């Protein structure tokens, strides 16, 4: 409902983890800083290894390198300000800066969703259509899938940011989160947000449920094909090529779906703690899982370091 007497808000303040005592926030700061630095370092290593090894110049590692770039940008948009707020709570952020953060968060976050879908399609073609793999997953197809993911992320972010910041904000200015996200911002609006929430739900269904369904269909076909293989060794190798991707998909979609597809929650602290999973932990999980569970990447890394690859 619109308010007749109100003070227009020109900046917001993050509630973040200010309810925790100083020593708890300091522990969180150290933990999150270490995870952030590990994320940046591991993604840089992945990109370097893929760039320096021609054996890794394949569609699978092309998508992995694009995902690493996107994940790095995604964390840079969120974590530095979160770390700053842990040391100095109740820091203000202007409305344009908040809109900018939300824009980059949505662009890279949605891009990640569709990149994971493209990687699932790549695994489907590699296992279910191995003889036509190089033909189907050519350079042009890979570039189209990657640019399509970026385009969807960019266009969705423009729509969402425009929708949220067309709302009037008055009186209330404390965001119950550690970054500018859609639902916490809508709670501060002094106008009816029903239509905006409906738009957000529709977009969430498109960018979360649709990729999940496509990945699920891919893996149903992949598992069906693998089970038809006569060789147990072939089955094991095929499952191994999908394990890393599937692990990342489960964690990524599990956490984001819980936040964006569930009904309104009054437990904002719980939402913040769950958000830590997909803003801090998942970006680190991607390069770690793909490097530790992938023999090709480990061998390539050893070659870069001048050591003998694993036998």
């Amino acid at each position: 409902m619109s308010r007749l007497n109100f003070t227009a808000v020109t900046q917001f303040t993050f509630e973040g983890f200010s309810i925790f005592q100083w020593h708890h926030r300091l522990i969180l700061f150290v933990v999150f800083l270490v995870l952030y630095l590990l994320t940046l370092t591991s993604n840089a290593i992945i990109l370097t290894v893929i760039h320096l090894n021609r054996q890794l110049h394949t569609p699978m590692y092309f998508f992995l390198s694009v995902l690493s770039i996107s994940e790095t940008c995604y964390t840079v948009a969120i974590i530095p300000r979160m770390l700053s707020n842990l040391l100095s709570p109740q820091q203000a952020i202007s409305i344009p800066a908040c809109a900018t953060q939300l824009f980059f968060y949505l662009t890279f976050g949605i891009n990640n969703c569709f990149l994971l879908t493209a990687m699932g399609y790549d695994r489907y073609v590699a296992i279910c259509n191995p003889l036509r793999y190089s033909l189907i997953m050519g350079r042009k197809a890979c570039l189209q899938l990657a640019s399509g993911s970026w385009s969807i992320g960019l266009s969705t972010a423009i729509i969402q940011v425009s929708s949220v910041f067309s709302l009037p904000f008055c009186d209330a200015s404390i965001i119950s989160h550690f970054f500018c996200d859609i639902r916490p911002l809508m709670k501060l609006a002094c106008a009816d947000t029903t239509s905006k929430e409906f738009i957000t739900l529709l977009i969430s269904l498109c960018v979360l449920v649709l990729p999940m369904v496509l990945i699920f269909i891919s893996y149903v076909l992949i598992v069906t094909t693998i089970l038809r293989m006569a060789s147990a060794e072939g089955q094991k190798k095929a499952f191994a090529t999908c394990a890393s991707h599937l692990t990342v998909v489960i964690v990524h979609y599990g956490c984001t779906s819980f936040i964006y597809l569930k009904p309104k929650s009054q437990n904002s602290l719980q939402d913040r703690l769950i958000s830590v999973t997909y803003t801090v932990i998942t970006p680190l999980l991607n390069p770690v899982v793909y490097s530790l569970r992938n023999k090709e990447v480990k061998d390539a890394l050893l070659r870069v370091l001048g050591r003998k690859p694993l036998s």
Side-chain angles (χ1 to χ4, degrees):
M1 183 179 294
S2 300
R3 300 177 187 178
L4 297 176
N5 298 312
F6 63 85
T7 303
V9 170
T10 58
Q11 60 184 23
F12 297 117
T13 304
F14 293 116
E15 183 178 359
F17 300 101
S18 58
I19 61 170
F20 294 145
Q21 294 185 2
W22 161 247
H23 62 282
H24 290 142
R25 294 202 312 274
L26 184 60
I27 292 172
L28 288 175
F29 173 83
V30 173
V31 172
F32 292 162
L33 177 62
V34 170
L35 291 175
Y36 178 54
L37 294 176
L38 285 174
T39 299
L40 297 180
T41 304
S42 56
N43 278 315
I45 290 172
I46 287 285
L47 288 169
T48 303
V49 168
I50 292 174
H51 176 72
L52 294 178
N53 287 267
R54 294 190 62 84
Q55 293 177 338
L56 299 183
H57 292 182
T58 63
M60 175 181 173
Y61 295 106
F62 167 75
F63 289 123
L64 179 57
S65 62
V66 176
L67 182 64
S68 293
I69 294 171
S70 182
E71 289 282 22
T72 300
C73 296
Y74 176 78
T75 56
V76 169
I78 303 296
I79 299 181
R81 186 173 286 274
M82 180 185 71
L83 292 173
S84 176
N85 285 330
L86 281 169
L87 293 181
S88 181
Q90 305 296 323
Q91 288 187 23
I93 181 172
S94 66
I95 287 182
C98 186
T100 301
Q101 185 185 55
L102 179 60
F103 172 78
F104 285 115
Y105 163 71
L106 291 174
T107 298
F108 296 117
I110 293 169
N111 176 53
N112 293 343
C113 291
F114 284 92
L115 279 175
L116 289 171
T117 307
M119 294 171 80
Y121 176 69
D122 172 70
R123 291 300 83 206
Y124 158 73
V125 177
I127 292 173
C128 300
N129 262 307
L131 298 179
R132 300 185 61 209
Y133 178 71
S134 58
L135 179 64
I136 297 174
M137 297 301 296
R139 179 181 176 82
K140 183 179 179 181
C142 292
L143 289 173
Q144 287 176 337
L145 288 169
S147 59
S149 298
W150 284 102
S151 299
I152 293 171
L154 186 62
S155 57
T156 305
I158 292 172
I159 293 170
Q160 283 286 63
V161 172
S162 301
S163 174
V164 171
F165 285 91
S166 65
L167 291 166
F169 296 99
C170 39
D171 296 339
S173 63
I174 298 178
I175 301 175
S176 299
H177 215 319
F178 56 84
F179 68 95
C180 291
D181 200 1
I182 297 170
R183 282 190 171 179
L185 283 168
M186 284 189 178
K187 288 180 181 179
L188 301 181
C190 49
D192 183 28
T193 61
T194 304
S195 61
K196 307 287 187 181
E197 289 173 4
F198 182 69
I199 292 171
T200 300
L201 178 60
L202 287 180
I203 291 176
S204 298
L205 289 172
C206 290
V207 302
L208 289 174
V209 176
L210 178 59
M212 280 194 292
V213 170
L214 293 175
I215 292 172
F216 177 76
I217 293 171
S218 296
Y219 273 100
V220 168
L221 296 172
I222 286 170
V223 171
T224 302
T225 301
I226 291 174
L227 293 178
R228 289 175 182 168
M229 293 179 178
S231 167
E233 185 64 27
Q235 290 181 344
K236 182 180 178 182
K237 185 177 179 181
F239 274 122
T241 63
C242 299
S244 301
H245 176 256
L246 196 56
T247 302
V248 171
V249 165
I250 291 171
V251 175
H252 178 85
Y253 283 108
C255 297
T256 51
S257 297
F258 183 84
I259 291 294
Y260 292 104
L261 298 181
K262 69 181 181 66
K264 281 185 178 180
S265 172
Q266 299 302 318
N267 193 343
S268 61
L269 178 59
Q270 182 190 63
D271 289 348
R272 270 171 272 171
L273 294 175
I274 295 171
S275 297
V276 167
T277 306
Y278 63 82
T279 55
V280 181
I281 298 173
T282 302
L284 174 61
L285 180 68
N286 293 346
V288 169
V289 167
Y290 274 103
S291 58
L292 293 181
R293 294 184 61 90
N294 193 303
K295 186 176 183 297
E296 288 178 315
V297 174
K298 286 189 285 188
D299 287 349
L301 179 58
L302 290 174
R303 282 194 293 270
V304 169
L305 297 174
R307 296 174 61 183
K308 183 178 178 181
L310 300 171
S311 58

